[in-house]
Amino acid sequence: MKVLKTLSVLLGLMALGLILTACGKQKNETTTTTSKPLSGVYKGEQDHDDGTEAPFYWAFRKDGTLIACVPDTDSYYGEAKRGTWKALKNGQYKINMHDVYDHDYYHLKAVLEGNTLYISDLSKKPAYKWGSNVTATLQKGVTYSEVKDMFNNASASDQSGIQENGYTKPDNASDRSSSDSSNSDNNSNADPDEIGRAIYSRVFPSEQVDSVEQDGDSYYVSNEYHSADSTIKFQINGDSVTYWTQGDGDSTADGQNEAHTISVSDLLGE
């Protein structure tokens, strides 16, 4: 009887083990995974005011930055935008993007299926509407540097269009006077998103950047919490960058008490 009792206990434990193993397998099969990094060039279409379409290029880098543009043509001014992206789960991404020369900020969500990105507004009532069901397809024959050239040309065209239409002075520092042309040339190639990420890495080495956004002549870089003490303000002035952090012993936690200035080349290690 004792032998039978022991055998029953062993069989019960074995059955319990099989059940737990099966549950474990089922749980692993349904676990969500972080999306792979976005990289490469995608091409979509954007409607002009008259209803005609123009190609719209998205160029993503694995470091979490992107540039996007409508190339300049004889018929239309170009458009240039830059921003950041963040991988979510199961082929989903969050994109923050703004026009180089104005305050039009777009907060988007994207889903990658095969070689196609499906892009739409993150909010149901965004301040600046991008649209829904916008698609962009991976362009295997187009490089990031090629889009960068289109982006630079579109930036100059974008600025001309804004000035011709009587809008406010562009935010980008490339609109400086000719006396500061040397610094302007350097600054025109300085990507605020790349600079913001480099600054954040210096101040908060263990934190991940969520967004770099422009406000007038300043930029703000923050992590996912976007709190006052986790947000860094910085400005690009020619080939140098000034950013502000909370000073030692300061308890106000507004993150803008101590100024630091560094050259762009030193900051980026160029």
Side-chain angles (χ1 to χ4, degrees):
M1 293 295 292
K2 185 175 182 181
V3 173
L4 291 175
K5 184 178 181 180
T6 302
L7 183 59
S8 298
V9 172
L10 290 175
L11 290 173
L13 290 174
M14 289 175 64
L16 179 61
L18 290 173
I19 293 173
L20 292 175
T21 300
C23 292
K25 287 183 178 180
Q26 184 177 8
K27 184 177 181 180
N28 289 336
E29 289 172 357
T30 59
T31 298
T32 55
T33 58
T34 302
S35 302
K36 66 180 182 180
L38 275 177
S39 64
V41 175
Y42 289 76
K43 180 183 177 183
E45 298 291 334
Q46 178 170 299
D47 291 336
H48 285 296
D49 292 337
D50 63 0
T52 59
E53 292 186 336
F56 191 91
Y57 290 90
W58 308 73
F60 297 94
R61 304 182 75 173
K62 290 183 178 180
D63 64 0
T65 63
L66 70 97
I67 56 175
C69 69
V70 173
D72 172 52
T73 69
D74 293 335
S75 302
Y76 299 102
Y77 289 110
E79 296 179 25
K81 306 178 189 299
R82 59 161 55 95
T84 59
W85 63 266
K86 180 180 180 181
L88 301 177
K89 294 180 179 180
N90 297 336
Q92 300 181 57
Y93 303 87
K94 181 171 72 172
I95 297 174
N96 292 323
M97 185 173 65
H98 63 87
D99 191 276
V100 171
Y101 293 119
D102 59 33
H103 298 286
D104 294 359
Y105 287 92
Y106 300 93
H107 302 284
L108 312 173
K109 60 182 178 181
V111 177
L112 180 61
E113 295 183 4
N115 290 329
T116 302
L117 270 177
Y118 295 87
I119 304 165
S120 58
D121 292 301
L122 188 62
S123 170
K124 292 183 178 179
K125 295 182 178 180
Y128 297 98
K129 187 176 181 179
W130 188 261
S132 59
N133 299 321
V134 178
T135 61
T137 306
L138 180 65
Q139 305 295 296
K140 295 183 178 180
V142 184
T143 65
Y144 184 92
S145 61
E146 289 174 326
V147 176
K148 183 68 173 180
D149 289 338
M150 288 190 285
F151 173 85
N152 289 335
N153 291 332
S155 295
S157 176
D158 201 355
Q159 177 182 341
S160 298
I162 288 174
Q163 291 176 330
E164 181 174 308
N165 286 284
Y167 299 159
T168 57
K169 183 178 179 181
D171 297 328
N172 191 282
S174 63
D175 188 49
R176 296 171 183 269
S177 65
S178 58
S179 62
D180 193 28
S181 60
S182 60
N183 281 342
S184 176
D185 289 341
N186 287 329
N187 191 43
S188 64
N189 293 321
D191 190 332
D193 296 288
E194 186 177 3
I195 288 173
R197 297 175 72 85
I199 292 173
Y200 214 75
S201 179
R202 291 171 66 93
V203 180
F204 302 113
S206 61
E207 294 287 338
Q208 296 295 319
V209 171
D210 179 67
S211 67
V212 180
E213 299 189 351
Q214 185 177 2
D215 184 8
D217 61 352
S218 300
Y219 295 87
Y220 293 85
V221 55
S222 181
N223 62 16
E224 61 180 317
Y225 301 106
H226 299 280
S227 61
D229 56 352
S230 68
T231 300
I232 299 175
K233 173 184 176 181
F234 68 95
Q235 294 179 341
I236 305 173
N237 302 296
D239 192 39
S240 66
V241 178
T242 300
Y243 62 94
W244 287 263
T245 60
Q246 183 174 331
D248 293 337
D250 196 305
S251 59
T252 58
D254 61 11
Q256 300 178 24
N257 305 301
E258 187 173 335
H260 312 265
T261 299
I262 186 174
S263 71
V264 173
S265 57
D266 286 343
L267 177 65
L268 302 180
E270 298 176 346

